Every structure is written in structure tokens, then in C-alpha cells.
Amino acid sequence: MGITERVAELSAKLKQQKGSIETEEATKNAFVMPFIGRVLGYDVFNPAEVIPEFTADVGTKRGEKIDYALVHDGQVQMLIEAKKVTEPLRLEHASQLFRYFSVTNARIAILTNGQTWEFYTDLDEPNKMDSKPFLVLDLSAVDRTLLPELAKLTRESFDLDSVISAAGELKYIGAIKRALGAEFKEPSEEWVRFLAGRVYGGRNITQRVREQFHPLVQKAAHQFLTEQVNDRLKTALGSGEAEQDVTELAAAAQAPGQDAAPLAEPEGAQLERTRDVVTTEDELDAYRVVRAIACSEVPADRIFGRDTKTYFGVLLDDNNRKPVARLWFNRSRRYLGVFDENKVETRIPIERAEDIYAHADRLRKTVAGYLSKADERI
């Protein structure tokens, strides 16, 4: 399973469990340790790779501990400080990281609450941790363009020099994207003045003109994002009835005056919806889980999703004769539909998408069965 599938798996878990996590220790167990082990590939139970409660006395500060130190080639390379998932990250949370950064060999410091992962290095001054991260990964809304950089920090392909060389560009690109996101959500006075100056025929951009243009800029921003989402989804789904369905969904999701909330698609997802079908986030989360499981047998792009009014189907090679699973989520009781070698379906009650992992072997066996039959015909 590649890093994209591993991150998607943890993202789905976070969405399901976040509401029940109330402490820092629970956050570590539920999200931080799985990220270290599953995503970054370090053995959390091997002290030669992961040192919990890492201590390196700093000046008059004695006995302070960093939550985790990650070791590669016998050297501490990354430091991790964790906070509880319900607490937004603030720079003051990183005080121990700042101190430890200068007295260890680590060039990467990570501040996280399990959902948001902020990666720091020493771009501004050598051996002094920067005040701004060069990479921010939000597991609740994964930016897939960051995953190749994250892959460079995994144990199997640790490439510190490559990460550091790209960190400067990543730092400013990330900051610009966050600034643009903030402007699209709630345009600042400077942004309104700038855009009004581009389109307004009058000579002076007065306070009255700015007040007039503020809602217009906000509305135009939402419409622009909606159009971009539409174009992307239409390309993925093809033309015809699906396009009309996508238009309605995207417009409803990003109505003026509301936060942008485009319909999320898993990376590489191949989805087809019939008319009047609304695909829910829970269905997409479950689809991601099935797809992640099946990726142990086939490439991800061979797993397709097809939503209908009664169930969400997961197919191999977009072939109705090769059902991998059915997600019966359009009812009060949820079921996972699995298939035997004769394609007889059995429905298994589940509560959450992550419950599907308990049936991973059965799903893999179904996919492997289709592959073996294909080999027999060759």
C-alpha cells in the first residue's frame, strides 16, 4: 500500500473517531502512533526507531521531555510534540521543540494534534527551528500535492537533503495557499480594494465602493470555486446526466454566504452516479477503506465506485460481474455486502467505515478470486 492509501486510511479513521477523543494520551494512541507507524513506517515499539518521552536536558531546563524522537541510521532525525485533537495548534505549543531542536541532530520538528501535522526545519537560521512550518498536512482535508514530500520522510525512503532543499518553496507555497483560502472564505479590505480597482470604472475606491464590492467579491469567489469543482468532477465523471447531478451538488455545497464544501473524491477515484443519487461522505469514507484494502491485490485505479439509489457498489475494473463489496448505507442500519466465490452476497452489520477493516481478508479474497479466474483464461 502506497503513502496515498495509508494517509487515506488514517484520514477515514480520524473522521470516525475524533468525536470520542478527549485527552492527549488518547490522541497519541488513536492518531499519532498510527501516523508514525502506518504512514511514516517506523516501528513504534522498537526504541531503536521510536523513542517515546525523549529527554535531552537543555540549559537550566532539566527533565523536559519530547513526546517522540524518530531515529534513522542511529541518529535522532525528527522530534514530535503532540497535543490533544480537540485543541487547535498554536506556536506556544512548540516551546520544547524550539529548545530541543538546537541540542540534537534533528533537522525536522513536528507539532501535531493528530489531525493537523506541522513540519518545521531551520531555513531562517542554522540550527534554530523556524517559527513557521514548511509543510502543513490536515488529515481531515488532505492536500494530495503534499504527499510526495511526506513520502521523503518515511523510513523506507528517508531523504532529508531533498526535503530541506524543497522546504523553502513548500513553506511559501503553503502560506500563499492558506492566505488565498482565507481570502476566498472572507475577503479582506485589501483584497476587495485590489479586485475592485481592477474592474470598477470610477477613479477612487472609496469606503462606499469597498462596502458595495465586498459581497460581490465574496459571491464571485464562491462561484469561481464552484466552477472549478464542476470542471474537475465533470472530467472525472464524463458528460451527460452525471454532469447535471454534479452541478447541482457543487452549487448546493458552495452557495454564496456559506463555507466552500465541494464534494470530496478519493485520489484516483473512479465514480459513477446515477441520476438523483447523492453520494454521502460516509459512503466515500467506506469506499476509501474498501479501496485501500483491495490495493494489496491490484493497483488502486482498478477499483471503481458506482453509487445507486439503494447501495454504493465497489467493482473491480468497473465490471458489474466483478463486485468487490456493496455499501448499504441508505438506511438506519448499515451493512457491508461481501461476496463468495459464486458471487452470493452476505450482508454484515457495521457501525462505521473503519469496521470494514475487520473483513479485509474476505474482501482481498474476493479480488484475488477474480484475478485467478482471469489467469486461468489466459
Side-chain angles (χ1 to χ4, degrees):
M1 187 182 296
I3 189 149
T4 300
E5 286 72 32
R6 301 201 300 267
V7 169
E9 181 182 280
L10 186 56
S11 174
K13 179 182 179 183
L14 182 139
K15 291 174 183 177
Q16 293 290 338
Q17 297 185 358
K18 179 181 176 181
S20 62
I21 303 298
E22 299 180 353
T23 66
E24 185 176 305
E25 286 304 312
T27 299
K28 293 177 185 177
N29 291 335
F31 308 130
V32 179
M33 290 178 65
F35 187 93
I36 295 172
R38 189 70 175 140
V39 175
L40 296 181
Y42 288 83
D43 184 351
V44 294
F45 302 110
N46 182 354
E49 295 184 16
V50 180
I51 306 174
E53 299 294 304
F54 177 67
T55 303
D57 292 331
V58 183
T60 59
K61 297 284 185 178
R62 301 289 172 177
E64 280 196 331
K65 298 176 180 179
I66 288 290
D67 289 317
Y68 303 97
L70 305 190
V71 180
H72 195 274
D73 292 335
Q75 298 288 332
V76 172
Q77 301 285 4
M78 288 184 274
L79 303 173
I80 301 177
E81 183 70 10
K83 303 300 176 183
K84 62 183 179 181
V85 72
T86 55
E87 186 173 358
L89 294 179
R90 298 187 297 273
L91 193 59
E92 52 263 34
H93 289 155
S95 58
Q96 289 170 233
L97 284 175
F98 276 104
R99 288 192 288 270
Y100 275 56
F101 195 88
S102 61
V103 296
T104 66
N105 293 321
R107 295 288 306 281
I108 302 295
I110 304 172
L111 179 64
T112 183
N113 60 5
Q115 173 177 314
T116 303
W117 292 76
E118 297 181 349
F119 295 77
Y120 297 81
T121 187
D122 55 354
L123 294 173
D124 298 333
E125 294 183 47
N127 207 35
K128 181 180 178 181
M129 191 179 111
D130 296 336
S131 60
K132 293 184 178 180
F134 68 87
L135 189 153
V136 179
L137 180 69
D138 184 351
L139 290 180
S140 68
V142 177
D143 181 351
R144 296 191 294 271
T145 64
L146 301 177
L147 298 186
E149 302 304 324
L150 181 65
K152 297 173 184 176
L153 293 171
T154 60
R155 184 178 179 276
E156 68 249 31
S157 54
F158 186 75
D159 189 351
L160 182 61
D161 291 339
S162 179
V163 171
I164 298 299
S165 65
E169 181 177 308
L170 285 170
K171 177 179 178 180
Y172 292 113
I173 287 177
I176 291 170
K177 287 168 68 176
R178 290 189 290 275
L180 285 172
E183 295 290 358
F184 271 79
K185 185 175 182 180
E186 179 56 47
S188 65
E189 185 174 328
E190 293 81 3
W191 185 246
V192 173
R193 185 188 299 115
F194 169 75
L195 292 176
R198 289 294 186 94
V199 300
Y200 181 60
R203 292 184 178 181
N204 298 320
I205 307 299
T206 63
Q207 179 64 30
R208 185 182 67 81
V209 172
R210 289 197 297 272
E211 290 175 355
Q212 175 188 353
F213 268 86
H214 185 278
L216 298 180
V217 169
Q218 188 174 38
K219 186 174 183 179
H222 282 296
Q223 289 182 1
F224 175 80
L225 287 179
T226 299
E227 290 165 3
Q228 294 299 305
V229 171
N230 263 344
D231 289 343
R232 185 172 181 180
L233 291 178
K234 287 175 184 177
T235 300
L237 297 175
S239 59
E241 294 181 352
E243 292 188 8
Q244 182 177 346
D245 197 36
V246 168
T247 301
E248 293 169 354
L249 287 170
Q254 298 198 54
Q258 300 178 1
D259 292 348
L263 182 65
E265 301 282 6
E267 176 172 341
Q270 305 291 332
L271 298 179
E272 179 180 332
R273 300 177 181 86
T274 57
R275 190 173 177 82
D276 300 326
V277 171
V278 176
T279 302
T280 67
E281 188 61 35
D282 286 344
E283 287 175 320
L284 286 173
D285 284 343
Y287 167 59
R288 293 185 187 103
V289 172
V290 175
R291 185 167 172 266
I293 291 169
C295 281
S296 65
E297 307 298 323
V298 294
D301 59 9
R302 292 185 63 182
I303 303 299
F304 287 68
R306 187 176 297 181
D307 201 3
T308 70
K309 290 183 178 181
T310 54
Y311 63 84
F312 187 111
V314 184
L315 309 172
L316 178 64
D317 298 330
D318 199 22
N319 189 334
N320 277 326
R321 291 175 295 177
K322 298 179 181 179
V324 177
R326 285 179 180 168
L327 308 172
W328 298 87
F329 281 23
N330 298 338
R331 58 200 67 224
S332 58
R333 191 74 172 93
R334 297 180 176 182
Y335 296 89
L336 166 69
V338 296
F339 296 86
D340 62 17
E341 61 274 12
N342 298 314
K343 301 178 187 177
V344 175
E345 181 182 7
T346 300
R347 297 185 191 179
I348 302 171
I350 60 173
E351 297 287 339
R352 302 171 298 273
E354 64 184 22
D355 295 342
I356 297 173
Y357 286 112
H359 310 285
D361 289 343
R362 193 161 184 177
L363 295 172
R364 293 190 183 105
K365 183 178 179 181
T366 297
V367 176
Y370 295 137
L371 297 178
S372 63
K373 290 180 180 178
D375 292 339
E376 290 173 1
R377 290 195 297 269
I378 296 177

